[in-house]
Amino acid sequence: MKKILLLLLFCTCSLQAQITKNYQKTPLQQVLNELSESYDLIFSFSNETVKNKIITLAINNTPLDEILTTLKTLTNLNFKKISDRQVIVSAPNNKVEVCGYLFDETTNEPLSYASISIENTKTGTIANDDGFFQLGSIDKNTIITIQYVGYKDKAMKASSFKASSCPRIPLFIESTSLAEVLIVEYITTGIDKNIDGSFRISNEELGILPGQSEPDILQSIQLIPGINSPDETATGIQIRGGSPDQNLVIWDDIKMYNTGHFFGMFSAFNPNVVESAKIFKGGADPKYGDRVSGVIDISSDKKVPKKFNGGVGVNGTHADVFTKIPVAKTVGLILSGRRSYTDVFETPTYNALSEKVFQNTKIVENPNQAPVPGEEGEEDDDEEEEREEAIAENNFFFYDASAKLIIDASENDKILASTIYTNNDLAFEINDDEDLITDDLEIQNKGVSFSWKGTKLDHFHHSLKAYYSKYDSDYLFTERQELQIEKQSIRKNTVEDVGLDLNITYDLDTKNSFMLGYQFSNSEVFYTITREAEFETPINESDKVKNNANTIYVNYKFLPKNKSFFNFGIRTSHYSIVNQLYIEPRVNIEYPITNLLRIKATGELRYQPISQLIEFEDTQLRLENNLWIHANEEVPVLKSTQYSTGLLFSKKGWNFEIDGYYKNINGLTSVTNGFNTINNDLSTGESIIYGVDVLLKKKFKNFRTWMGYTFNDIKYTFPEIQEASFRGNNDITHNFRISNTYEINDWEFSLGWLWRSGAPFTDADLVNDEIEYGAANAKRLPEYHRLDISAIYRFDFNKTGNWRGQIGASIQNIYNRQVPISISYRVDDNATTGEIELDKLQQESLGITPNVVLRLYF
């Protein structure tokens, strides 16, 4: 019997040993079917798994286990032998569970609130207090990017998470910067607070905001307590009681003298190419100069794009396009452009905005088929017919364009070249076949910049920047009769600015740095004004006034391990226009009392050699009548002394901050800040500002709510106007805002309510055909409030996320409450009676304003 069994076993082995096959580009399913017969096996698989699998395989007395290993290599499929006769064929699992703990490589401390994102998608998460994050199960070939301000970005393949379920991941301090974010998501996603007291707005991360269907940098920063715009515009930003012209606004190192479109209703900066904005309410580094209030430093993208991408969009006022192009591995180009279509088609959005912008101007007073001013009254039928033939036409549009070249010259050197051009063009015409009255207003701001930043020997950092900026505002009023010029008025203002900045920073260690810098700028200012005069006889004209500014600045930063912050700087400038030297010390300190509570304080002295005056007397078109002028014998250099102190509490999504501040600005003039012409003679004075900013914010999973409150007490002292001090024009005593956002799946919703005190104004009467003013700013306008809402839906065209889009809608002032937000006066002739009358011009607030946006990304 034993001999028989041995004989059978020998015969079986002999049969297997004789299996020889040679497959050339043969379907895998056919190979498996034949192997099943040859080896007496059962292969279990789905047709979808082996579909389109073609292999080349030679079998010559090859053991089965070796064949299965070869098949796995050739097909990238799993061949699992679950018994002597059965093999399961399955596709590999490409999904990986991604999670981890982030920590500082040096201190071993967890990095709370770091950003973790999945490449080429808008999907991501934020690390919690312990530095832990979890993305769930994703494809093993996906690239994960980890970002934390002040640290080097880290890119990891999802497959690297297989070794450990939730590994510890170290991040390394960025050698080129000691700055770090103190609070991520200070108000909402994309608005963070830096340890130096400044605020960082990241456009790509910015969440939905009340009343905004898409981001606007200058509108967004108004959510921060202490920053507001009493005239409801994006550009009318007042920071802690300062006027808009007292803010330093920079775009890619270019000083901007005009920052808005549609006469300030929204910013002139295309948000789709904005990387981030850094905002200082106070305590700015000494490298920022020539302005006495806030700093708004806006930067477009600085990274070379890895692949070609871009987007297009259209909303209620304009359309835009942008592209990011990888020219080479280390060279990138970013292009953008926007243009309004308001000169072709008028939407409800445009109508609501134009009603506010053009009120109290001839554009509103003369709609189509309207009478020409001064022709009202009793007329015969022929004159009436002529009046009806007079047609008024308003042709208004705006556009902007920008370009940026990015060169990674080496691992430690980056070169940037940027340019921007903005334009607003208004042409208003009244034509009755005999008389032609035209108003032409064009506002331009163009600029170009170059910068080279690099690191040497890990501790030395150099920065070389140069810029050119030119601002032009041209207004021309012409009245023609039978093609002959009867009257002409001109208002022109030009600023041309060239500057250079060179600085070197030395890092003593990871916590101490010392900076030494030099700045030079040459600015030329020119203006001219005529009123209903012959073309060649200006009433007021300046020569081209030049100012050379030479500045040396020094700064020392200390960031101890307890996450406190000490910044001491000094800026010394010489202005040729007044031939004087100005010294500006700066101090900025934050110190943690506990892990949850911090105290802070700032102090600074600042000077400003250029500012804006308001040209009140032009009765033709009261739009953009601000004139940039240099300091002179009548207009002094502005001087600001300011201090602030406060407390900051932060814990698990709760943020509470309170700041008290004092600001004294000397060198104000009676035509600065829109000061009413109580006295036609230019007089100088000062403002003293006391204020408190309060913020309370909490995040509950997908719901965020924050409340901001600002108290301001602004007193003006102008002895030539009034012996006693009086309230400033921008004295908005109480300003309260509550905002809420909610995210669910691909939807985002936001609702916000704003309430504030009315602005003060000066009452007036007509005495002997002249305006007689009462006590300065003794009365106050009604309180102001409005409710805003917005919603955004995001969608993908395919699973890769390469083509995606969003639809947004918003409504400002849902309940359509309109109140006067400013009052001015002018004397006018009554066309019927011929008597002199006093016109009280009330600037009404914005009415209900809807907007929609469609945006596609590729």
Side-chain angles (χ1 to χ4, degrees):
M1 187 67 182
K2 290 182 179 180
K3 291 181 178 180
I4 295 173
L5 291 174
L6 289 172
L7 181 62
L8 291 173
L9 179 62
F10 174 78
C11 292
T12 301
C13 294
S14 299
L15 287 173
Q16 287 186 347
Q18 295 174 1
I19 297 175
T20 302
K21 299 283 185 181
N22 189 9
Y23 298 103
Q24 295 292 328
K25 296 182 179 180
T26 306
L28 176 62
Q29 186 168 355
Q30 177 184 334
V31 174
L32 295 180
N33 289 337
E34 293 184 11
L35 289 177
S36 296
E37 296 178 1
S38 301
Y39 287 91
D40 192 22
L41 290 173
I42 299 174
F43 285 95
S44 300
F45 55 85
S46 68
N47 291 334
E48 191 65 29
T49 302
V50 299
K51 185 179 179 181
N52 299 326
K53 296 284 186 181
I54 307 297
I55 65 170
T56 296
L57 177 67
I59 298 176
N60 186 13
N61 303 325
T62 308
L64 178 60
D65 289 342
E66 186 177 331
I67 293 174
L68 295 180
T69 301
T70 303
L71 287 173
K72 181 177 181 181
T73 303
L74 293 174
T75 64
N76 197 31
L77 298 176
N78 292 325
F79 291 80
K80 187 175 182 180
K81 194 174 180 182
I82 62 173
S83 69
D84 291 339
R85 296 191 63 243
Q86 187 170 6
V87 177
I88 295 179
V89 183
S90 61
N93 182 10
N94 288 324
K95 299 288 186 178
V96 178
E97 190 71 25
V98 175
C99 59
Y101 291 86
L102 303 177
F103 66 95
D104 184 301
E105 184 271 341
T106 303
T107 66
N108 208 33
E109 294 181 358
L111 298 177
S112 307
Y113 309 118
S115 298
I116 302 94
S117 58
I118 300 174
E119 189 178 52
N120 297 326
T121 72
K122 288 229 168 189
T123 305
T125 187
I126 301 292
N128 66 12
D129 288 346
D130 300 321
F132 175 76
F133 71 92
Q134 188 169 19
L135 287 173
S137 184
I138 62 176
D139 190 280
K140 69 178 183 179
N141 294 316
T142 301
I143 301 297
I144 308 299
T145 302
I146 302 171
Q147 294 177 309
Y148 194 78
V149 177
Y151 289 78
K152 294 181 180 178
D153 292 353
K154 194 179 192 78
M156 302 175 66
K157 248 191 174 183
S159 57
S160 63
F161 287 81
K162 274 190 172 182
S164 175
S165 56
C166 291
R168 282 172 50 81
I169 303 169
L171 295 186
F172 297 84
I173 291 177
E174 179 67 60
S175 61
T176 59
S177 175
L178 289 176
E180 64 177 87
V181 167
L182 179 64
I183 299 176
V184 176
E185 198 177 300
Y186 176 74
I187 292 180
T188 186
T189 54
I191 302 181
D192 308 326
K193 186 175 179 65
N194 297 319
I195 198 169
D196 61 2
S198 65
F199 299 89
R200 174 182 174 269
I201 296 183
S202 172
N203 185 68
E204 186 175 348
E205 301 169 8
L206 190 61
I208 189 172
L209 300 174
Q212 295 186 38
S213 51
E214 58 181 347
D216 184 299
I217 288 294
L218 298 186
Q219 291 281 10
S220 301
I221 69 176
Q222 295 178 31
L223 294 172
I224 300 170
I227 303 177
N228 66 83
S229 177
D231 63 2
E232 301 181 304
T233 65
T235 59
I237 292 175
Q238 300 189 359
I239 298 180
R240 289 184 169 174
S243 59
D245 66 308
Q246 294 168 3
N247 299 322
L248 177 64
V249 182
I250 301 173
W251 165 267
D252 278 350
D253 302 318
I254 303 169
K255 283 185 184 178
M256 299 297 294
Y257 291 87
N258 179 67
T259 58
H261 283 317
F262 208 153
F263 306 103
M265 294 311 296
F266 36 83
S267 72
F269 311 115
N270 191 334
N272 299 291
V273 293
V274 171
E275 179 188 62
S276 63
K278 191 172 187 179
I279 299 97
F280 284 93
K281 293 193 291 185
D285 284 354
K287 67 180 180 180
Y288 296 111
D290 296 340
R291 299 294 188 272
V292 295
S293 194
V295 175
I296 304 171
D297 190 350
I298 306 172
S299 300
S300 60
D301 287 353
K302 296 178 181 177
K303 293 182 180 179
V304 174
K306 295 181 180 179
K307 64 177 184 177
F308 177 83
N309 65 93
V312 295
V314 60
N315 62 22
T317 55
H318 62 271
D320 71 87
V321 61
F322 73 95
T323 59
K324 301 179 182 181
I325 307 167
V327 179
K329 187 176 181 181
T330 59
V331 181
L333 181 64
I334 299 175
L335 304 172
S336 77
R338 294 188 296 176
R339 192 195 189 280
S340 68
Y341 51 81
T342 53
D343 53 329
V344 178
F345 179 70
E346 296 181 359
T347 64
T349 308
Y350 170 75
N351 290 333
L353 293 173
S354 61
E355 181 182 343
K356 170 182 169 56
V357 169
F358 298 129
Q359 62 182 300
N360 295 323
T361 70
K362 61 171 65 177
I363 295 176
V364 171
E365 294 165 0
N366 292 276
N368 287 351
Q369 301 294 332
V372 179
E375 293 186 357
E376 296 88 345
E378 297 180 0
E379 304 175 51
D380 56 29
D381 293 339
D382 292 337
E383 290 176 334
E384 182 69 24
E385 289 177 5
E386 291 178 4
R387 273 187 53 200
E388 291 177 354
E389 291 176 359
I391 297 177
E393 182 179 353
N394 176 23
N395 185 18
F396 166 72
F397 65 94
F398 61 83
Y399 59 91
D400 62 65
S402 68
K404 188 170 190 177
L405 182 67
I406 307 168
I407 303 174
D408 288 338
S410 70
E411 184 179 350
N412 295 318
D413 291 89
K414 184 180 286 286
I415 296 174
L416 305 172
S418 186
T419 182
I420 187 172
Y421 179 80
T422 71
N423 183 281
N424 285 259
D425 200 310
L426 170 67
F428 180 66
E429 180 178 290
I430 301 175
N431 190 353
D432 66 355
D433 292 336
E434 291 184 5
D435 294 330
L436 177 62
I437 301 175
T438 59
D439 294 88
D440 292 301
L441 175 61
E442 186 174 17
I443 304 164
Q444 298 179 352
N445 204 151
K446 50 191 173 185
V448 61
S449 67
F450 169 86
S451 73
W452 172 30
K453 293 183 178 180
T455 299
K456 299 293 182 288
L457 304 175
D458 292 331
H459 294 288
F460 283 98
H461 316 290
H462 63 80
S463 172
L464 173 64
K465 302 175 184 178
Y467 73 89
Y468 168 79
S469 180
K470 186 176 183 182
Y471 163 79
D472 278 301
S473 177
D474 288 289
Y475 168 66
L476 174 63
F477 164 79
T478 307
E479 183 177 337
R480 293 179 175 88
Q481 187 172 14
E482 295 181 353
L483 302 180
Q484 296 295 319
I485 296 178
E486 297 291 324
K487 293 180 181 179
Q488 199 163 48
S489 298
I490 297 172
R491 183 177 68 241
K492 180 177 176 62
N493 189 202
T494 301
V495 180
E496 200 164 3
D497 192 349
V498 180
L500 174 73
D501 184 325
L502 172 64
N503 66 64
I504 299 174
T505 302
Y506 177 67
D507 294 338
L508 302 173
D509 51 40
T510 58
K511 297 299 180 183
N512 292 269
S513 72
F514 179 83
M515 175 188 285
L516 174 64
Y518 167 76
Q519 290 176 353
F520 168 81
S521 70
N522 172 270
S523 55
E524 298 183 356
V525 178
F526 166 80
Y527 73 88
T528 183
I529 301 170
T530 70
R531 301 190 192 98
E532 297 186 3
E534 292 298 326
F535 175 71
E536 64 274 5
T537 56
I539 289 178
N540 196 350
E541 182 174 19
S542 75
D543 296 323
K544 267 194 175 181
V545 181
K546 298 181 181 180
N547 180 40
N548 289 331
N550 288 275
T551 300
I552 294 176
Y553 59 93
V554 179
N555 195 64
Y556 168 69
K557 280 184 183 178
F558 176 47
L559 288 164
K561 289 185 178 181
N562 65 354
K563 291 188 177 181
S564 56
F565 174 81
F566 298 88
N567 192 79
F568 305 97
I570 190 167
R571 178 184 178 89
T572 304
S573 301
H574 179 269
Y575 299 134
S576 64
I577 194 169
V578 289
N579 193 26
Q580 288 191 27
L581 192 69
Y582 297 91
I583 299 176
E584 306 172 55
R586 312 274 178 93
V587 177
N588 189 348
I589 299 172
E590 274 204 28
Y591 190 82
I593 301 175
T594 70
N595 291 334
L596 306 177
L597 186 64
R598 305 173 67 85
I599 59 173
K600 53 185 180 175
T602 68
E604 55 190 323
L605 181 63
R606 299 168 71 171
Y607 294 92
Q608 179 171 332
I610 185 173
S611 56
Q612 283 185 326
L613 303 184
I614 310 298
E615 201 286 299
F616 276 100
E617 298 304 317
D618 176 22
T619 58
Q620 296 301 334
L621 190 67
R622 298 169 62 86
L623 287 172
E624 294 295 330
N625 54 344
N626 298 352
L627 299 175
W628 286 100
I629 68 166
H630 272 312
N632 53 45
E633 294 180 357
E634 293 183 327
V635 180
V637 172
L638 290 175
K639 175 185 176 182
S640 170
T641 306
Q642 46 191 304
Y643 308 96
S644 72
T645 184
L647 294 171
L648 174 62
F649 173 84
S650 179
K651 181 181 180 182
K652 294 184 178 180
W654 282 100
N655 290 334
F656 174 76
E657 183 176 23
I658 182 168
D659 262 328
Y661 53 88
Y662 164 86
K663 181 187 290 187
N664 174 221
I665 303 178
N666 281 286
L668 296 177
T669 69
S670 56
V671 287
T672 302
N673 262 357
F675 200 93
N676 264 333
T677 50
I678 298 173
N679 188 333
N680 289 329
D681 296 328
L682 185 144
S683 57
T684 60
E686 67 172 347
S687 67
I688 295 179
I689 304 164
Y690 293 94
V692 177
D693 297 335
V694 181
L695 173 77
L696 177 63
K697 176 254 179 179
K698 173 60 179 172
K699 178 183 177 183
F700 305 90
K701 294 185 178 179
N702 295 334
F703 177 74
R704 300 172 181 85
T705 184
W706 65 92
M707 293 178 287
Y709 169 74
T710 296
F711 167 80
N712 259 329
D713 182 80
I714 304 176
K715 290 291 196 326
Y716 281 172
T717 302
F718 282 80
E720 297 177 10
I721 293 175
Q722 183 171 295
E723 290 186 6
S725 298
F726 53 92
R727 296 201 173 275
N729 287 0
N730 55 344
D731 180 67
I732 309 296
T733 311
H734 305 285
N735 192 312
F736 174 80
R737 182 191 295 268
I738 181 168
S739 304
N740 308 273
T741 65
Y742 179 68
E743 300 175 21
I744 180 170
N745 299 325
D746 297 320
W747 286 92
E748 291 184 45
F749 303 92
S750 185
L751 180 69
W753 187 66
L754 170 64
W755 177 93
R756 66 172 182 240
S757 306
F761 74 98
T762 304
D763 200 8
D765 202 354
L766 190 66
V767 178
N768 297 327
D769 294 340
E770 292 185 358
I771 301 177
E772 183 174 293
Y773 290 94
N777 286 341
K779 293 192 174 183
R780 193 174 286 274
L781 295 170
E783 61 187 25
Y784 169 98
H785 55 83
R786 78 176 197 223
L787 182 68
D788 301 333
I789 191 171
S790 53
I792 293 177
Y793 172 69
R794 307 181 192 276
F795 56 89
D796 292 333
F797 290 102
N798 52 44
K799 293 182 179 180
T800 63
N802 292 333
W803 283 86
R804 63 187 192 278
Q806 68 181 50
I807 299 174
S810 65
I811 302 176
Q812 290 181 304
N813 194 5
I814 293 176
Y815 44 71
N816 198 27
R817 180 178 185 268
Q818 291 182 272
V819 295
I821 55 177
S822 69
I823 288 179
S824 59
Y825 304 89
R826 70 182 176 192
V827 174
D828 201 4
D829 294 331
N830 187 299
T832 303
T833 64
E835 295 181 356
I836 301 294
E837 291 183 345
L838 179 66
D839 287 344
K840 184 178 182 179
L841 304 179
Q842 293 193 155
Q843 189 76 12
E844 298 287 328
S845 60
L846 186 69
I848 185 170
T849 306
N851 199 2
V852 294
V853 60
L854 171 63
R855 182 161 297 283
L856 303 176
Y857 300 95
F858 53 84

